[in-house]
Amino acid sequence: MAGGEARPGRGPEVRVKAAVIELKSVERHYVQGQRKLTILSGADFSLVPGEMVALVAPSGAGKSTLLHTAGLLERPDGGDVILGGRACGRLSDDERTAIRRNDIGFVYQFHHLLPEFSALENIMMPQIIKGLPQAEAAKRAEQLLDYMQIGKRAHHRPAELSGGEQQRVAIARAVANAPLVLLADEPTGNLDPHTASYVFDALAALVKQSGLAALIATHNHELARRMDRRVTLSEGKVVSL
């Protein structure tokens, strides 16, 4: 991905990466009976390629709402979501679905792999839906499994894999279509500390090597400190820690 404008100043020219995703003054409200509950209020946030940011906040603070809005699963009530330079907040459902399929990868606490398919087939699935030939989808799926160091488990179904292996397959599936952004909601929350660290290392390496922009919600403060920066939610806004 191309860098942004050069930053003026003395000495060698420094290239500043352009944001791949931006939330601009995003508002998100829910109505409960006669009450309006404000979750996001003028929230601003951006990610650049290759950046891994931890979203750390207590339960109920709005982490999932932020991820769902950034991932175009929910529409902002105000403001906009800019992805790859394109304003997405007011697009049609079909347009938003296409963007999610091609440009956004999702990883959740529970892997949500299709139980009747092998690890390889689970990673092939989003590529085939996108329109890739089966042979090409299989080749990329094999490469991703090798990268995640579980190539030997390609033909095992989810029930035959350990928790860490299942989550690595889920990560590989999330990036199978080479998205611009990866959004993860507690991706290691269901794993023991040793396995969580191992899965996180694989995810971090993938982000850096591929140039993904990743926002990862986590309660694991040790893993959060290993990311490029940390943010939280306060009074509906995204603030740095």
Side-chain angles (χ1 to χ4, degrees), residues 5-6 16 30 45 55 57 73 103-104 110 131 133 161 170-172 178 188 203 216 220 224 236 240:
E5 296 181 356
V16 180
Y30 299 101
F45 178 71
L55 173 59
L73 291 167
D103 295 330
I104 304 173
F110 299 99
L161 303 174
I171 292 168
T188 62
L203 175 58
I216 300 171
N220 189 321
S240 297

Side-chain angles (χ1 to χ4, degrees), residues 59-190:
S59 297
K63 295 193 302 295
S64 294
T65 296
L66 180 66
L67 289 171
H68 290 171
T69 305
L72 308 185
L73 291 167
E74 297 184 20
R75 291 182 183 276
D77 297 305
D80 212 339
V81 178
I82 315 296
L83 182 64
R86 183 183 187 187
C88 299
R90 304 294 174 263
L91 296 178
S92 70
D93 287 342
D94 287 346
E95 288 173 314
R96 289 156 62 85
T97 297
I99 292 171
R100 285 197 303 270
R101 181 173 61 239
N102 298 326
D103 295 330
I104 304 173
F106 295 92
V107 181
Y108 299 97
Q109 180 174 351
F110 299 99
H111 55 77
H112 297 300
L113 298 174
L114 298 172
E116 65 272 29
F117 295 104
S118 68
L120 185 76
E121 291 166 337
N122 266 279
I123 301 170
M124 288 173 62
M125 199 68 64
Q127 300 177 75
I128 291 172
I129 292 171
K130 185 179 179 180
L132 264 67
Q134 188 166 331
E136 188 176 339
K139 182 178 180 181
R140 176 159 173 77
E142 289 170 354
Q143 291 171 341
L144 284 167
L145 284 168
D146 286 340
Y147 188 87
M148 300 299 285
Q149 300 183 18
I150 47 173
K152 293 181 180 179
R153 310 289 277 168
H155 299 289
H156 290 70
R157 293 184 180 182
E160 301 170 309
L161 303 174
S162 69
E165 289 170 339
Q166 290 171 347
Q167 201 64 327
R168 278 182 279 165
V169 173
I171 292 168
R173 180 184 59 183
V175 301
N177 283 337
L180 298 174
V181 176
L182 180 69
L183 302 173
D185 194 356
E186 298 289 348
T188 62
N190 202 35

Side-chain angles (χ1 to χ4, degrees), residues 180-230:
L180 298 174
V181 176
L182 180 69
L183 302 173
D185 194 356
E186 298 289 348
T188 62
N190 202 35
L191 305 173
D192 66 80
H194 175 76
T195 304
S197 181
Y198 190 85
V199 169
F200 174 83
D201 287 342
L203 175 58
L206 186 62
V207 168
K208 297 304 179 185
Q209 289 293 324
S210 64
L212 270 171
L215 176 61
I216 300 171
T218 181
H219 282 108
N220 189 321
H221 290 275
E222 180 184 344
L223 294 184
R225 284 191 290 269
R226 291 163 61 183
M227 300 191 211
D228 297 309
R229 57 189 173 99
R230 294 174 295 152

